[in-house]
Amino acid sequence: MKTYIAILICLLLLITGMMAQDRKVEAWDAKAEVKYKKRLSEVKEEIWNWKQAGFKNRTVPAEYAKESAVVLAKHTELTTPDKDRELHRSIRVLVAINDKAALEEYSEFSFKQYESLSSWYPLEPFDKMTKVTYMGARIFKKGGGTREIYSDEAVVTEVNRRSHKTRKLAIPDLQVGDMIEYFVREERFINHANAYTEELFVLGDEEPVLEYSVHVSAWEEVFALEYRSMNGAPNFKQKIADHMLQLDLLVKNVPPQPVKLWMNPFRQIPMVRLHLRVGGRKEGLGRRKEGTIYSNPNALKTRDEAVAELVFMRNQTSKATLPFLDVVWDNVKRFKKENKNASDEELTHYIYYLIRYMGLYRVNPQDEIVVDQRRNWAGLSERNFLRYVNYMLVKNDIDADFVLATPRYGPGQNEVFETDDFRVMLKTVGKKPIYMSAEGIFSNTDYIPSEFEGQKAPLVSGGPRDESIKGNVEIPYSTPGQNRQVENMRISFSDGDMQQLKIDRTSSASGHFRLPLQQKLLLYEDYYDAERKALGIKESFMEEFADSKRNRSLADEYRNAFDKARKDVRESFLEEVKDQFDNTPENLEKFKVLKMGLRHNEPEISYNTAFTMNGYIKKAGSNYIIDAGRLIGPQMSIKPSQRDRKADIYMPFARSFEYNLEFLVPAGYTLEGADKLERNIDNECGSFIVTAKQAEGKLTLTVKKVYKNAFAPAAKWPQVLEMVDAAEAFQQQKILLKKA
């Protein structure tokens, strides 16, 4: 039977592959494929003939024998082969496959064979608006022998005439103990005079790298190069020869780093950032002189350029540059008239939410009808939104400053490389400043995105006079209590099936946990109406459309769209339950949003779900064993290779989780083992505390997990482990429902 199933699966896979390959090939695609194959043969000959010594190595050092994968050699090249601004980006890597995880990672590659660089023109391979990618791999078998495969043999998975053609390259017969050597080449053109490439060479990853080299070569008459070495990365060796600007870098024995576990690469891992840009005859703001190599440009100069850009934007803000300004003014004047004693703080909140509403909530007749979850991802330009808010604050005699911050997971102020490294917030002036950001359709006043917490940032006056930095501010961190997830669950047993749980659950999330749940669960119809009323806007767009002969039919279309979105949101709630429990409910009986969390004075989203769930109870004779620990959802597991840590710990933010579980004991049964569930881990970095309280017919279990800080030095890692390990171990805990 197993053999039959295996054969059937193979046949299905074969048929699927044939269907993918046997699609009707259009004329443009067939013509391009001829040229692609010819160019691929040239590319593979060029790259396989690179002479870096590391690619001859076939020995994994004993110290890395237990690593999942080991990179024996890695080489990256960025070159401009002629003067017509063509750019070639190439990478070649040799990897030893030591376990099944590495085998899975390297057994398949997906890539865009053709990708249009413009939304205005259809895909036309090999023109100056299309990027073309070539790929090849060869496998060195543990027992000897090699095999090669190239991108023209890959399965075509998608063709979109306007944007891309995608392929998937499966690596045949790759096994643990083998080595794979692969290359990827991208070829495209730099199309605009001020355009430049943004390259990042990271000297550290989850896998150890025995040899990593980089070579950059650009025409002296056309291009300029600039780079910044960060976090102790070496500088390039540079020279100008044969009309070419050349940079070279070689690093050996790069140790593995826990990059995927609470690290901040831009602040912790050696790396080099590079711009290859079309140069000009003279250097100027945003322009570099052709034929010049700029190494480690002055960060203060870059900051001052960012300030100058911000000041220019502020000074250019006027009635001519702000949309719907008359409507905004009408509403602000009405608010001030109706609230004559309103404070500057109250007016600030009103202005912010009004402009958010006008930009993201308001509907115009010509708009596309989007009222489902897609709308929840809408946003506005950060700078345009905040300069609009600032303009209205200034006009209403409220002082505010722009906060020019570098995000936590970006470069520090002393290592900025370009003006785009800076992001913007706005804050009022005073003892209790109100911070304002542009996080999207659900952004609140008095909310600081986690990426800005703890950063020291220059201040630029929102007023029209000052054109320089007026000081600095240290942006505060949020607390675990501000970023909180709470689950209140009432758990009983199904009448007809004692192995099925009935769960009535009320959940809430605040701070940085709020936005993802709002995007998943909220309906535009609800939050549009709530905000319209909160702002004192009397007539809805539905009422406006209904009163208009021209747009009356639109009201019916929106009504139908609202009904469909309300019906479809059920799937979003099902997905949310599945994500929380890592288990699919048998039946979702009810779901409802209780609070939307749209404003600073209602800072949490809250919702209720009720469902039945299998998979938590096993029958043992006349008794039942309950996997109580699993009801708090999946917990983090630290791999053996991650337990010894030398890198400081950068968490996304301080946070807390609370689970209040109330088990209703059915008549004729008792619960045993509750006392064994209790835990009490509490240290400087976090806590995991479980308490159990039993009363007649009921067990109340309270689980609290807290990450106390967004940052901790490596020396504190054992304390973090203590808390994380306790939470993971709790998942294995069980209680016994015993027949009385």
Side-chain angles (χ1 to χ4, degrees):
M1 184 65 181
K2 289 182 179 179
T3 303
Y4 170 76
I5 292 173
I7 292 172
L8 179 61
I9 291 172
C10 289
L11 285 172
L12 287 171
L13 290 173
L14 178 62
I15 291 168
T16 302
M18 290 172 64
M19 288 173 66
Q21 293 282 35
D22 291 345
R23 66 181 179 84
K24 185 179 179 180
V25 179
E26 297 183 36
W28 69 269
D29 197 1
K31 180 181 178 182
E33 200 66 20
V34 174
K35 189 171 182 179
Y36 183 87
K37 288 177 179 288
K38 181 177 183 298
R39 179 60 183 150
L40 175 61
S41 66
E42 298 169 351
V43 169
K44 68 182 183 182
E45 182 177 2
E46 173 194 339
I47 293 179
W48 288 145
N49 282 318
W50 286 350
K51 300 301 183 182
Q52 289 77 19
F55 291 104
K56 297 179 181 179
N57 184 18
R58 297 292 181 270
T59 303
V60 174
E63 63 185 300
Y64 296 139
K66 294 184 179 181
E67 294 289 335
S68 177
V70 178
V71 177
L72 284 81
K74 180 177 181 180
H75 180 70
T76 301
E77 285 207 1
L78 192 69
T79 59
T80 60
D82 49 42
K83 298 180 184 180
D84 64 357
R85 300 181 182 177
E86 186 177 1
L87 178 69
H88 293 177
R89 181 190 289 106
S90 312
I91 182 171
R92 177 179 168 187
V93 186
L94 174 62
V95 185
I97 308 298
N98 287 350
D99 63 16
K100 290 183 178 180
L103 178 64
E104 183 177 350
E105 181 177 352
Y106 288 97
S107 288
E108 190 175 88
F109 296 85
S110 293
F111 63 98
K112 290 182 179 178
Q113 180 182 2
Y114 308 128
E115 181 178 6
S116 176
L117 302 178
S118 170
S119 59
W120 297 100
Y121 304 100
L123 186 68
E124 196 62 54
F126 303 103
D127 72 357
K128 292 190 176 184
M129 300 303 295
T130 301
K131 180 172 69 176
V132 183
T133 300
Y134 306 90
M135 186 172 181
R138 50 191 183 190
I139 301 98
F140 300 98
K141 302 297 296 178
K142 184 178 181 180
T146 61
R147 181 172 181 178
E148 298 187 5
I149 186 169
Y150 294 95
S151 52
D152 59 341
E153 304 171 62
V155 174
V156 177
T157 55
E158 185 180 4
V159 178
N160 184 320
R161 185 69 172 94
R162 292 205 62 83
S163 59
H164 64 270
K165 176 181 177 181
T166 304
R167 286 182 180 258
K168 184 179 291 184
L169 184 66
I171 308 301
D173 195 32
L174 185 65
Q175 297 175 332
V176 174
D178 294 345
M179 293 185 181
I180 180 172
E181 185 176 11
Y182 67 91
F183 71 79
V184 179
R185 158 70 67 82
E186 297 175 352
E187 297 184 352
R188 71 175 182 89
F189 286 84
I190 300 177
N191 296 301
H192 306 289
N194 290 323
Y196 59 86
T197 69
E198 297 188 50
E199 308 296 331
L200 183 64
F201 307 108
V202 182
L203 309 182
D205 208 334
E206 293 279 336
E207 304 158 340
V209 181
L210 303 189
E211 181 177 302
Y212 185 5
S213 54
V214 178
H215 175 69
V216 181
S217 180
W219 277 93
E220 178 187 13
E221 298 173 34
V222 177
F223 296 98
L225 296 175
E226 59 180 346
Y227 73 89
R228 173 174 291 287
S229 298
M230 301 170 58
N231 304 323
N235 291 325
F236 279 111
K237 293 181 178 179
Q238 57 188 59
K239 66 178 180 179
I240 301 176
D242 301 322
H243 303 286
M244 304 296 286
L245 307 172
Q246 297 185 44
L247 301 175
D248 285 283
L249 179 72
L250 175 62
V251 179
K252 293 186 176 182
N253 299 319
V254 180
Q257 296 275 12
V259 175
K260 298 176 183 178
L261 181 64
W262 296 326
M263 279 199 74
N264 186 344
F266 266 88
R267 305 287 176 96
Q268 292 181 283
I269 296 179
M271 63 175 64
V272 182
R273 299 175 71 187
L274 171 79
H275 289 164
L276 183 153
R277 62 165 81 217
V278 176
R281 292 187 177 182
K282 294 182 179 180
E283 183 178 337
L285 184 65
R287 179 177 288 275
R288 303 295 181 260
K289 189 175 185 300
E290 62 193 23
T292 307
I293 298 174
Y294 299 83
S295 60
N296 299 309
N298 190 306
L300 288 178
K301 182 179 178 181
T302 303
R303 183 205 63 185
D304 291 342
E305 288 182 354
V307 170
E309 290 178 1
L310 182 60
V311 167
F312 178 79
M313 177 198 73
R314 181 202 66 193
N315 292 346
Q316 292 299 307
T317 305
S318 66
K319 184 175 181 179
T321 62
L322 299 176
F324 45 78
L325 184 60
D326 289 341
V327 180
V328 169
W329 266 120
D330 287 344
N331 280 281
V332 169
K333 290 174 182 177
R334 177 185 50 78
F335 174 82
K336 293 170 76 172
K337 183 178 180 180
E338 294 174 357
N339 301 271
K340 294 181 179 179
N341 295 320
S343 65
D344 284 353
E345 180 179 313
E346 290 170 322
L347 182 55
T348 297
H349 294 308
Y350 185 84
I351 287 171
Y352 180 92
Y353 292 126
L354 176 63
I355 296 172
R356 182 186 70 171
Y357 173 88
M358 295 298 295
L360 294 170
Y361 290 48
R362 193 182 61 151
V363 169
N364 293 307
Q366 66 271 22
D367 292 346
E368 180 185 359
I369 298 177
V370 179
V371 299
D372 55 15
Q373 269 61 35
R374 289 175 297 167
R375 185 143 197 151
N376 298 349
W377 295 84
L380 296 170
S381 161
E382 182 175 79
R383 297 195 175 208
N384 286 340
F385 174 69
L386 293 177
R387 75 166 172 167
Y388 202 141
V389 175
N390 176 70
Y391 175 88
M392 290 301 298
L393 294 179
V394 170
K395 292 297 182 181
N396 284 276
D397 299 319
I398 299 173
D399 292 332
D401 294 325
F402 287 102
V403 182
L404 203 59
T406 54
R408 288 183 69 221
Y409 288 93
Q413 294 261 348
N414 61 333
E415 292 194 310
V416 291
F417 186 44
E418 59 191 26
T419 57
D420 285 347
D421 286 342
F422 290 93
R423 298 273 304 281
V424 177
M425 285 195 298
L426 193 65
K427 81 171 188 69
T428 56
V429 176
K431 293 181 179 180
K432 294 183 178 180
I434 299 171
Y435 281 87
M436 290 163 277
S437 61
E439 285 296 279
I441 200 165
F442 303 119
S443 59
N444 285 354
T445 53
D446 256 350
Y447 171 75
I448 299 171
S450 62
E451 59 191 324
F452 298 136
E453 290 184 358
Q455 304 308 292
K456 188 174 182 180
L459 296 175
V460 177
S461 174
R465 297 170 299 279
D466 297 333
E467 298 197 358
S468 59
I469 294 172
K470 60 177 288 187
N472 291 278
V473 64
E474 191 158 327
I475 302 170
Y477 282 102
S478 59
T479 66
Q482 291 172 304
N483 307 307
R484 191 164 174 248
Q485 280 192 343
V486 180
E487 299 282 351
N488 295 309
M489 288 182 267
R490 187 176 175 87
I491 303 168
S492 58
F493 301 83
S494 294
D495 296 334
D497 183 0
M498 287 287 289
Q499 290 182 259
Q500 186 176 78
L501 291 177
K502 295 174 65 176
I503 301 176
D504 193 315
R505 164 179 171 251
T506 299
S507 311
S508 63
S510 62
H512 305 317
F513 287 128
R514 175 177 50 87
L515 178 60
L517 288 165
Q518 289 174 314
Q519 290 170 329
K520 182 185 286 289
L521 303 179
L522 296 192
L523 289 172
Y524 170 70
E525 181 182 11
D526 295 335
Y527 59 77
Y528 164 80
D529 206 44
E531 274 302 285
R532 178 182 63 81
K533 292 175 181 177
L535 291 165
I537 298 171
K538 294 181 179 180
E539 192 173 41
S540 72
F541 75 87
M542 292 285 283
E543 292 167 327
E544 291 177 15
F545 291 172
D547 291 340
S548 165
K549 290 183 179 180
R550 184 176 182 181
N551 298 317
R552 191 170 297 158
S553 62
L554 270 177
D556 292 332
E557 290 183 49
Y558 268 97
R559 196 171 290 109
N560 292 333
F562 285 151
D563 291 342
K564 184 179 187 305
R566 197 164 294 280
K567 180 181 178 181
D568 292 347
V569 78
R570 177 186 182 87
E571 292 302 316
S572 297
F573 276 92
L574 273 170
E575 185 180 331
E576 188 278 330
V577 173
K578 184 178 178 180
D579 289 346
Q580 172 61 30
F581 290 88
D582 196 25
N583 194 7
T584 303
E586 293 299 308
N587 183 37
L588 181 62
E589 297 173 356
K590 64 177 181 177
F591 53 92
K592 183 181 180 180
V593 173
L594 306 175
K595 295 179 182 178
M596 289 186 282
L598 299 178
R599 291 188 165 219
H600 64 286
N601 52 2
E602 188 187 272
E604 68 176 25
I605 178 175
S606 176
Y607 53 98
N608 175 255
T609 51
F611 48 90
T612 56
M613 192 82 83
N614 289 329
Y616 292 90
I617 302 176
K618 293 180 181 178
K619 189 171 174 57
S622 59
N623 304 322
Y624 296 90
I625 300 171
I626 305 169
D627 285 333
R630 288 177 52 214
L631 287 167
I632 67 170
Q635 299 297 304
M636 173 175 285
S637 178
I638 305 297
K639 297 186 293 187
S641 61
Q642 297 171 328
R643 303 193 75 83
D644 182 20
R645 185 180 180 109
K646 297 178 181 178
D648 290 340
I649 305 148
Y650 282 81
M651 293 191 183
F653 47 86
R655 55 210 184 275
S656 63
F657 304 84
E658 182 175 326
Y659 309 87
N660 300 303
L661 288 68
E662 183 181 83
F663 292 89
L664 301 181
V665 183
Y669 287 87
T670 60
L671 274 176
E672 294 184 356
D675 56 318
K676 297 179 182 178
L677 299 177
E678 295 192 335
R679 302 283 189 279
N680 191 351
I681 303 297
D682 192 359
N683 57 46
E684 292 179 58
C685 295
S687 63
F688 185 76
I689 299 172
V690 183
T691 58
K693 183 179 180 182
Q694 247 178 311
E696 188 173 344
K698 187 168 62 175
L699 167 65
T700 302
L701 194 64
T702 300
V703 182
K704 295 182 179 180
K705 182 173 69 169
V706 179
Y707 293 91
K708 296 182 179 180
N709 310 295
F711 172 83
K716 303 290 186 183
W717 180 238
Q719 295 186 34
V720 177
L721 277 180
E722 182 183 29
M723 184 269 287
V724 172
D725 288 346
E728 184 193 14
F730 179 76
Q731 279 203 296
Q732 310 304 318
Q733 298 304 303
K734 307 176 190 302
I735 52 178
L736 179 67
L737 184 65
K738 188 175 182 180
K739 187 75 172 176

